[in-house]
Amino acid sequence: MPLQIYIAGKLYDKEDAKISVYDHGLLYGDGVFEGMRSYSGKVFRLAEHLDRLWDSAQAIWLTIPMTKEEMAKAVYDTLKVNGIEDGYIRLVVTRGAGSLGLDPNRTSNPQVIIITDHIALYPREYYEKGLELVTASTMRNHPAALSPRIKSLNYLNNILAKIEGLKAGCVEALMLNHKGEVAECTGDNIFLIAKGELLTPPIDAGILEGITRNAVIDIARDAGITTREISLTRYDVYVADECFLTGSAAEVIPVVKVDNREIGAGVPGPITQDLIRRFHELTRK
Ligand code: PXG
């Protein structure tokens, strides 16, 4: 059976899973999304992902036409039909089809889409040897213009930075905020280890409040590692002992080079490796 995709309460074969070209999700990037993972049939931090999806929708005046409980059930039903235990889940809620023109009042029926698929992992080598990053010249959206806390379908800010990374031979790129501070990467949050402490930019640096980020902060605190959310500059990155990224897709992944400079010893650090092990224990028990 082909992969089944959920759209507005019905399941469709992957090839037939389509929405209108008049949907404002396509015409204007008017909608919100989530990317999450399931491990052994259980969705990691589903409640947190649903809370964030509902908050993103609220922030753009979009009413999701179902309850969180109904969405959770639809996610599990879709995983089950596709026989996926360890996978990737994409939730999308669009503004719905309407007439041409920005006015969301002229749309009807927000579309809820649930894609469950097998996860396309970064090659194993990256986890063992670590990633290289470059700083993108594209700055993170100004939080007073379009809040990076909204996980909206308007991801061009991140995509432009991602292209810069790829052109430089890097799979991720570091993004700075309007003040020149370290914000995050295009689809991952960033952490440093300096003098034994775990450091990461605060939410008001203009970043997405990553669910993996929050899980890693909890893990580190439980492990007795001093953890601080403080504003960071590239200086802090360059002099750090260790660096790693977090995200639903990437999980926890070491970074060994930024802007052609080796970070620490230029290999995945011991605290990073310990946190990766603890994260695996949390997700794969
Ligand atoms: N920053 C940004 C800008 C993101 O988009 C993260 C940080 C990490 O957040 P989580 O909650 O995942 O720890 C994200 C997440 C995809 C994809 O398919 C994107 C994300 C996550 C999973 C898949 O592009 N972005």
Side-chain angles (χ1 to χ4, degrees), residues 33 35 49 52 88 90 140 151 155 158 184-189 208-213 246-249:
F33 78 105
H49 281 283
R52 189 170 68 186
Y88 175 73
R90 165 65 58 95
R140 195 74 180 93
K151 209 163 160 57
Y155 247 50
N158 311 57
E184 59 184 332
C185 292
T186 68
D188 297 291
N189 291 113
L208 185 78
E209 184 173 358
I211 285 155
T212 321
R213 170 189 184 275
T246 64
S248 297

PDB file of all heavy atoms in Angstrom, residues 33 35 49 52 88 90 140 151 155 158 184-189 208-213 246-249, ligand 1:
ATOM      1  N   PHE A  33       3.498  25.061  10.976  1.00  0.00           N
ATOM      2  CA  PHE A  33       3.844  23.638  10.905  1.00  0.00           C
ATOM      3  C   PHE A  33       4.625  23.166  12.126  1.00  0.00           C
ATOM      4  O   PHE A  33       5.057  23.973  12.943  1.00  0.00           O
ATOM      5  CB  PHE A  33       4.613  23.327   9.613  1.00  0.00           C
ATOM      6  CG  PHE A  33       6.080  23.717   9.602  1.00  0.00           C
ATOM      7  CD1 PHE A  33       7.065  22.740   9.731  1.00  0.00           C
ATOM      8  CD2 PHE A  33       6.483  25.025   9.443  1.00  0.00           C
ATOM      9  CE1 PHE A  33       8.421  23.068   9.707  1.00  0.00           C
ATOM     10  CE2 PHE A  33       7.838  25.372   9.414  1.00  0.00           C
ATOM     11  CZ  PHE A  33       8.807  24.392   9.545  1.00  0.00           C
ATOM     12  N   GLY A  35       7.533  19.774  13.092  1.00  0.00           N
ATOM     13  CA  GLY A  35       8.272  18.584  12.676  1.00  0.00           C
ATOM     14  C   GLY A  35       8.616  17.814  13.938  1.00  0.00           C
ATOM     15  O   GLY A  35       9.196  18.374  14.859  1.00  0.00           O
ATOM     16  N   HIS A  49       4.895  19.750  21.268  1.00  0.00           N
ATOM     17  CA  HIS A  49       4.777  20.116  19.852  1.00  0.00           C
ATOM     18  C   HIS A  49       3.381  20.668  19.549  1.00  0.00           C
ATOM     19  O   HIS A  49       3.243  21.643  18.804  1.00  0.00           O
ATOM     20  CB  HIS A  49       5.079  18.914  18.948  1.00  0.00           C
ATOM     21  CG  HIS A  49       6.545  18.640  18.782  1.00  0.00           C
ATOM     22  ND1 HIS A  49       7.355  19.394  17.955  1.00  0.00           N
ATOM     23  CD2 HIS A  49       7.352  17.705  19.337  1.00  0.00           C
ATOM     24  CE1 HIS A  49       8.597  18.918  18.015  1.00  0.00           C
ATOM     25  NE2 HIS A  49       8.621  17.898  18.844  1.00  0.00           N
ATOM     26  N   ARG A  52       3.066  24.150  20.893  1.00  0.00           N
ATOM     27  CA  ARG A  52       3.769  25.130  20.052  1.00  0.00           C
ATOM     28  C   ARG A  52       2.992  25.387  18.765  1.00  0.00           C
ATOM     29  O   ARG A  52       2.907  26.529  18.299  1.00  0.00           O
ATOM     30  CB  ARG A  52       5.198  24.654  19.753  1.00  0.00           C
ATOM     31  CG  ARG A  52       6.045  25.718  19.078  1.00  0.00           C
ATOM     32  CD  ARG A  52       7.516  25.335  19.006  1.00  0.00           C
ATOM     33  NE  ARG A  52       7.750  24.214  18.108  1.00  0.00           N
ATOM     34  CZ  ARG A  52       8.933  23.613  17.960  1.00  0.00           C
ATOM     35  NH1 ARG A  52       9.981  24.030  18.656  1.00  0.00           N
ATOM     36  NH2 ARG A  52       9.076  22.617  17.124  1.00  0.00           N
ATOM     37  N   TYR A  88       9.323  10.221  11.137  1.00  0.00           N
ATOM     38  CA  TYR A  88       9.262  11.668  11.148  1.00  0.00           C
ATOM     39  C   TYR A  88       7.824  12.070  10.886  1.00  0.00           C
ATOM     40  O   TYR A  88       7.170  11.471  10.027  1.00  0.00           O
ATOM     41  CB  TYR A  88      10.180  12.200  10.045  1.00  0.00           C
ATOM     42  CG  TYR A  88      10.104  13.688   9.900  1.00  0.00           C
ATOM     43  CD1 TYR A  88      10.689  14.506  10.862  1.00  0.00           C
ATOM     44  CD2 TYR A  88       9.426  14.278   8.841  1.00  0.00           C
ATOM     45  CE1 TYR A  88      10.599  15.881  10.748  1.00  0.00           C
ATOM     46  CE2 TYR A  88       9.345  15.645   8.724  1.00  0.00           C
ATOM     47  CZ  TYR A  88       9.929  16.446   9.693  1.00  0.00           C
ATOM     48  OH  TYR A  88       9.835  17.802   9.586  1.00  0.00           O
ATOM     49  N   ARG A  90       5.289  15.340  10.059  1.00  0.00           N
ATOM     50  CA  ARG A  90       5.147  16.754   9.715  1.00  0.00           C
ATOM     51  C   ARG A  90       3.671  17.125   9.836  1.00  0.00           C
ATOM     52  O   ARG A  90       2.830  16.515   9.182  1.00  0.00           O
ATOM     53  CB  ARG A  90       5.645  16.964   8.278  1.00  0.00           C
ATOM     54  CG  ARG A  90       5.246  18.281   7.618  1.00  0.00           C
ATOM     55  CD  ARG A  90       5.858  19.476   8.307  1.00  0.00           C
ATOM     56  NE  ARG A  90       7.298  19.393   8.329  1.00  0.00           N
ATOM     57  CZ  ARG A  90       8.086  19.955   7.431  1.00  0.00           C
ATOM     58  NH1 ARG A  90       7.598  20.659   6.455  1.00  0.00           N
ATOM     59  NH2 ARG A  90       9.394  19.816   7.544  1.00  0.00           N
ATOM     60  N   ARG A 140      18.884  36.608  11.044  1.00  0.00           N
ATOM     61  CA  ARG A 140      17.600  36.041  11.473  1.00  0.00           C
ATOM     62  C   ARG A 140      16.557  37.153  11.431  1.00  0.00           C
ATOM     63  O   ARG A 140      16.873  38.318  11.740  1.00  0.00           O
ATOM     64  CB  ARG A 140      17.761  35.497  12.904  1.00  0.00           C
ATOM     65  CG  ARG A 140      16.646  34.570  13.371  1.00  0.00           C
ATOM     66  CD  ARG A 140      16.749  33.218  12.719  1.00  0.00           C
ATOM     67  NE  ARG A 140      15.689  32.318  13.142  1.00  0.00           N
ATOM     68  CZ  ARG A 140      14.527  32.162  12.477  1.00  0.00           C
ATOM     69  NH1 ARG A 140      14.265  32.859  11.386  1.00  0.00           N
ATOM     70  NH2 ARG A 140      13.634  31.303  12.913  1.00  0.00           N
ATOM     71  N   LYS A 151       6.432  29.091  14.173  1.00  0.00           N
ATOM     72  CA  LYS A 151       6.932  28.125  13.197  1.00  0.00           C
ATOM     73  C   LYS A 151       5.973  28.199  12.010  1.00  0.00           C
ATOM     74  O   LYS A 151       5.034  27.406  11.882  1.00  0.00           O
ATOM     75  CB  LYS A 151       6.986  26.726  13.838  1.00  0.00           C
ATOM     76  CG  LYS A 151       8.058  25.845  13.252  1.00  0.00           C
ATOM     77  CD  LYS A 151       8.377  24.663  14.137  1.00  0.00           C
ATOM     78  CE  LYS A 151       9.051  23.539  13.385  1.00  0.00           C
ATOM     79  NZ  LYS A 151      10.293  23.858  12.693  1.00  0.00           N
ATOM     80  N   TYR A 155       9.392  30.226   5.589  1.00  0.00           N
ATOM     81  CA  TYR A 155      10.727  29.863   6.067  1.00  0.00           C
ATOM     82  C   TYR A 155      11.848  30.403   5.183  1.00  0.00           C
ATOM     83  O   TYR A 155      12.976  29.914   5.227  1.00  0.00           O
ATOM     84  CB  TYR A 155      10.826  28.336   6.227  1.00  0.00           C
ATOM     85  CG  TYR A 155      10.967  27.928   7.691  1.00  0.00           C
ATOM     86  CD1 TYR A 155      10.095  28.435   8.651  1.00  0.00           C
ATOM     87  CD2 TYR A 155      11.980  27.082   8.116  1.00  0.00           C
ATOM     88  CE1 TYR A 155      10.225  28.090   9.996  1.00  0.00           C
ATOM     89  CE2 TYR A 155      12.119  26.733   9.452  1.00  0.00           C
ATOM     90  CZ  TYR A 155      11.232  27.234  10.387  1.00  0.00           C
ATOM     91  OH  TYR A 155      11.374  26.894  11.710  1.00  0.00           O
ATOM     92  N   ASN A 158      15.214  31.324   6.751  1.00  0.00           N
ATOM     93  CA  ASN A 158      16.067  30.169   7.039  1.00  0.00           C
ATOM     94  C   ASN A 158      16.620  29.548   5.749  1.00  0.00           C
ATOM     95  O   ASN A 158      17.772  29.112   5.699  1.00  0.00           O
ATOM     96  CB  ASN A 158      15.257  29.113   7.796  1.00  0.00           C
ATOM     97  CG  ASN A 158      14.495  29.713   8.966  1.00  0.00           C
ATOM     98  OD1 ASN A 158      13.703  30.633   8.781  1.00  0.00           O
ATOM     99  ND2 ASN A 158      14.734  29.236  10.156  1.00  0.00           N
ATOM    100  N   GLU A 184      20.621  31.097  16.094  1.00  0.00           N
ATOM    101  CA  GLU A 184      20.416  29.650  15.956  1.00  0.00           C
ATOM    102  C   GLU A 184      20.865  29.258  14.558  1.00  0.00           C
ATOM    103  O   GLU A 184      21.347  30.094  13.798  1.00  0.00           O
ATOM    104  CB  GLU A 184      18.943  29.298  16.179  1.00  0.00           C
ATOM    105  CG  GLU A 184      18.000  30.004  15.202  1.00  0.00           C
ATOM    106  CD  GLU A 184      16.529  29.739  15.478  1.00  0.00           C
ATOM    107  OE1 GLU A 184      16.188  28.675  16.027  1.00  0.00           O
ATOM    108  OE2 GLU A 184      15.708  30.603  15.110  1.00  0.00           O
ATOM    109  N   CYS A 185      20.688  27.990  14.196  1.00  0.00           N
ATOM    110  CA  CYS A 185      20.970  27.576  12.823  1.00  0.00           C
ATOM    111  C   CYS A 185      19.648  27.528  12.058  1.00  0.00           C
ATOM    112  O   CYS A 185      18.606  27.889  12.586  1.00  0.00           O
ATOM    113  CB  CYS A 185      21.722  26.256  12.820  1.00  0.00           C
ATOM    114  SG  CYS A 185      23.391  26.442  13.500  1.00  0.00           S
ATOM    115  N   THR A 186      19.684  27.106  10.797  1.00  0.00           N
ATOM    116  CA  THR A 186      18.483  27.246   9.964  1.00  0.00           C
ATOM    117  C   THR A 186      17.344  26.336  10.400  1.00  0.00           C
ATOM    118  O   THR A 186      16.179  26.659  10.197  1.00  0.00           O
ATOM    119  CB  THR A 186      18.803  26.993   8.476  1.00  0.00           C
ATOM    120  OG1 THR A 186      19.130  25.602   8.311  1.00  0.00           O
ATOM    121  CG2 THR A 186      19.978  27.825   8.001  1.00  0.00           C
ATOM    122  N   GLY A 187      17.680  25.193  11.013  1.00  0.00           N
ATOM    123  CA  GLY A 187      16.637  24.296  11.514  1.00  0.00           C
ATOM    124  C   GLY A 187      17.051  23.607  12.799  1.00  0.00           C
ATOM    125  O   GLY A 187      16.542  22.528  13.121  1.00  0.00           O
ATOM    126  N   ASP A 188      17.981  24.234  13.505  1.00  0.00           N
ATOM    127  CA  ASP A 188      18.520  23.646  14.742  1.00  0.00           C
ATOM    128  C   ASP A 188      18.913  24.754  15.716  1.00  0.00           C
ATOM    129  O   ASP A 188      19.335  25.833  15.289  1.00  0.00           O
ATOM    130  CB  ASP A 188      19.801  22.828  14.437  1.00  0.00           C
ATOM    131  CG  ASP A 188      19.519  21.650  13.521  1.00  0.00           C
ATOM    132  OD1 ASP A 188      18.854  20.720  13.959  1.00  0.00           O
ATOM    133  OD2 ASP A 188      19.969  21.683  12.352  1.00  0.00           O
ATOM    134  N   ASN A 189      18.827  24.475  17.000  1.00  0.00           N
ATOM    135  CA  ASN A 189      19.344  25.400  18.019  1.00  0.00           C
ATOM    136  C   ASN A 189      20.808  25.089  18.280  1.00  0.00           C
ATOM    137  O   ASN A 189      21.287  23.993  17.986  1.00  0.00           O
ATOM    138  CB  ASN A 189      18.542  25.273  19.318  1.00  0.00           C
ATOM    139  CG  ASN A 189      17.120  25.790  19.176  1.00  0.00           C
ATOM    140  OD1 ASN A 189      16.158  25.022  19.245  1.00  0.00           O
ATOM    141  ND2 ASN A 189      16.970  27.076  18.961  1.00  0.00           N
ATOM    142  N   LEU A 208      13.669  30.106  17.613  1.00  0.00           N
ATOM    143  CA  LEU A 208      12.587  29.167  17.881  1.00  0.00           C
ATOM    144  C   LEU A 208      12.909  28.466  19.198  1.00  0.00           C
ATOM    145  O   LEU A 208      14.050  28.049  19.423  1.00  0.00           O
ATOM    146  CB  LEU A 208      12.471  28.126  16.763  1.00  0.00           C
ATOM    147  CG  LEU A 208      11.278  27.177  16.928  1.00  0.00           C
ATOM    148  CD1 LEU A 208       9.980  27.867  16.503  1.00  0.00           C
ATOM    149  CD2 LEU A 208      11.463  25.900  16.137  1.00  0.00           C
ATOM    150  N   GLU A 209      11.893  28.363  20.068  1.00  0.00           N
ATOM    151  CA  GLU A 209      12.106  27.639  21.328  1.00  0.00           C
ATOM    152  C   GLU A 209      12.040  26.149  21.030  1.00  0.00           C
ATOM    153  O   GLU A 209      10.973  25.541  21.032  1.00  0.00           O
ATOM    154  CB  GLU A 209      11.062  28.043  22.370  1.00  0.00           C
ATOM    155  CG  GLU A 209      11.323  27.378  23.711  1.00  0.00           C
ATOM    156  CD  GLU A 209      10.403  27.883  24.815  1.00  0.00           C
ATOM    157  OE1 GLU A 209       9.578  28.779  24.562  1.00  0.00           O
ATOM    158  OE2 GLU A 209      10.520  27.352  25.938  1.00  0.00           O
ATOM    159  N   GLY A 210      13.191  25.589  20.711  1.00  0.00           N
ATOM    160  CA  GLY A 210      13.245  24.197  20.263  1.00  0.00           C
ATOM    161  C   GLY A 210      12.858  23.226  21.370  1.00  0.00           C
ATOM    162  O   GLY A 210      13.233  23.408  22.531  1.00  0.00           O
ATOM    163  N   ILE A 211      12.143  22.196  20.985  1.00  0.00           N
ATOM    164  CA  ILE A 211      11.712  21.197  21.956  1.00  0.00           C
ATOM    165  C   ILE A 211      12.885  20.289  22.318  1.00  0.00           C
ATOM    166  O   ILE A 211      13.043  19.886  23.467  1.00  0.00           O
ATOM    167  CB  ILE A 211      10.467  20.477  21.410  1.00  0.00           C
ATOM    168  CG1 ILE A 211       9.299  21.468  21.573  1.00  0.00           C
ATOM    169  CG2 ILE A 211      10.188  19.168  22.137  1.00  0.00           C
ATOM    170  CD1 ILE A 211       8.160  21.287  20.664  1.00  0.00           C
ATOM    171  N   THR A 212      13.756  20.029  21.354  1.00  0.00           N
ATOM    172  CA  THR A 212      14.971  19.273  21.646  1.00  0.00           C
ATOM    173  C   THR A 212      15.884  20.115  22.544  1.00  0.00           C
ATOM    174  O   THR A 212      16.509  19.590  23.480  1.00  0.00           O
ATOM    175  CB  THR A 212      15.704  18.900  20.347  1.00  0.00           C
ATOM    176  OG1 THR A 212      14.736  18.542  19.362  1.00  0.00           O
ATOM    177  CG2 THR A 212      16.668  17.749  20.561  1.00  0.00           C
ATOM    178  N   ARG A 213      15.969  21.416  22.263  1.00  0.00           N
ATOM    179  CA  ARG A 213      16.733  22.353  23.095  1.00  0.00           C
ATOM    180  C   ARG A 213      16.287  22.239  24.547  1.00  0.00           C
ATOM    181  O   ARG A 213      17.106  22.071  25.453  1.00  0.00           O
ATOM    182  CB  ARG A 213      16.511  23.778  22.577  1.00  0.00           C
ATOM    183  CG  ARG A 213      17.035  24.910  23.455  1.00  0.00           C
ATOM    184  CD  ARG A 213      16.519  26.254  22.898  1.00  0.00           C
ATOM    185  NE  ARG A 213      17.050  27.411  23.627  1.00  0.00           N
ATOM    186  CZ  ARG A 213      16.499  27.891  24.745  1.00  0.00           C
ATOM    187  NH1 ARG A 213      15.437  27.308  25.272  1.00  0.00           N
ATOM    188  NH2 ARG A 213      17.034  28.950  25.329  1.00  0.00           N
ATOM    189  N   THR A 246      20.916  21.116  18.240  1.00  0.00           N
ATOM    190  CA  THR A 246      19.778  20.258  18.596  1.00  0.00           C
ATOM    191  C   THR A 246      18.596  20.551  17.683  1.00  0.00           C
ATOM    192  O   THR A 246      18.371  21.695  17.289  1.00  0.00           O
ATOM    193  CB  THR A 246      19.317  20.503  20.055  1.00  0.00           C
ATOM    194  OG1 THR A 246      18.840  21.852  20.180  1.00  0.00           O
ATOM    195  CG2 THR A 246      20.423  20.254  21.059  1.00  0.00           C
ATOM    196  N   GLY A 247      17.849  19.510  17.358  1.00  0.00           N
ATOM    197  CA  GLY A 247      16.630  19.671  16.563  1.00  0.00           C
ATOM    198  C   GLY A 247      15.921  18.335  16.474  1.00  0.00           C
ATOM    199  O   GLY A 247      16.560  17.288  16.656  1.00  0.00           O
ATOM    200  N   SER A 248      14.631  18.373  16.172  1.00  0.00           N
ATOM    201  CA  SER A 248      13.878  17.114  16.100  1.00  0.00           C
ATOM    202  C   SER A 248      14.478  16.164  15.074  1.00  0.00           C
ATOM    203  O   SER A 248      14.545  14.963  15.300  1.00  0.00           O
ATOM    204  CB  SER A 248      12.424  17.388  15.739  1.00  0.00           C
ATOM    205  OG  SER A 248      11.830  18.141  16.748  1.00  0.00           O
ATOM    206  N   ALA A 249      14.903  16.702  13.942  1.00  0.00           N
ATOM    207  CA  ALA A 249      15.455  15.843  12.895  1.00  0.00           C
ATOM    208  C   ALA A 249      16.884  15.427  13.245  1.00  0.00           C
ATOM    209  O   ALA A 249      17.228  14.252  13.216  1.00  0.00           O
ATOM    210  CB  ALA A 249      15.417  16.550  11.552  1.00  0.00           C
TER     211      ALA A 249
HETATM  212  N1  PXG B   1      15.302  26.368  15.027  1.00  0.00           N
HETATM  213  C1  PXG B   1      14.555  26.390  13.923  1.00  0.00           C
HETATM  214  C2  PXG B   1      14.532  27.609  13.087  1.00  0.00           C
HETATM  215  C3  PXG B   1      13.805  25.260  13.563  1.00  0.00           C
HETATM  216  O1  PXG B   1      13.045  25.269  12.463  1.00  0.00           O
HETATM  217  C4  PXG B   1      14.672  24.124  15.524  1.00  0.00           C
HETATM  218  C5  PXG B   1      15.369  25.288  15.832  1.00  0.00           C
HETATM  219  C6  PXG B   1      14.741  22.957  16.466  1.00  0.00           C
HETATM  220  O2  PXG B   1      13.495  22.817  17.151  1.00  0.00           O
HETATM  221  P1  PXG B   1      12.961  21.405  17.669  1.00  0.00           P
HETATM  222  O3  PXG B   1      11.679  21.718  18.325  1.00  0.00           O
HETATM  223  O4  PXG B   1      12.788  20.520  16.465  1.00  0.00           O
HETATM  224  O5  PXG B   1      13.980  20.888  18.599  1.00  0.00           O
HETATM  225  C7  PXG B   1      13.871  24.099  14.379  1.00  0.00           C
HETATM  226  C8  PXG B   1      13.104  22.863  14.019  1.00  0.00           C
HETATM  227  C9  PXG B   1      12.397  20.044   8.669  1.00  0.00           C
HETATM  228  C10 PXG B   1      12.494  20.139  10.120  1.00  0.00           C
HETATM  229  O6  PXG B   1      11.931  19.016   8.166  1.00  0.00           O
HETATM  230  C11 PXG B   1      12.694  21.364  10.731  1.00  0.00           C
HETATM  231  C12 PXG B   1      12.771  21.432  12.105  1.00  0.00           C
HETATM  232  C13 PXG B   1      12.654  20.291  12.855  1.00  0.00           C
HETATM  233  C14 PXG B   1      12.448  19.083  12.225  1.00  0.00           C
HETATM  234  C15 PXG B   1      12.374  18.992  10.853  1.00  0.00           C
HETATM  235  O7  PXG B   1      12.749  20.992   7.988  1.00  0.00           O
HETATM  236  N2  PXG B   1      12.969  22.654  12.653  1.00  0.00           N
END
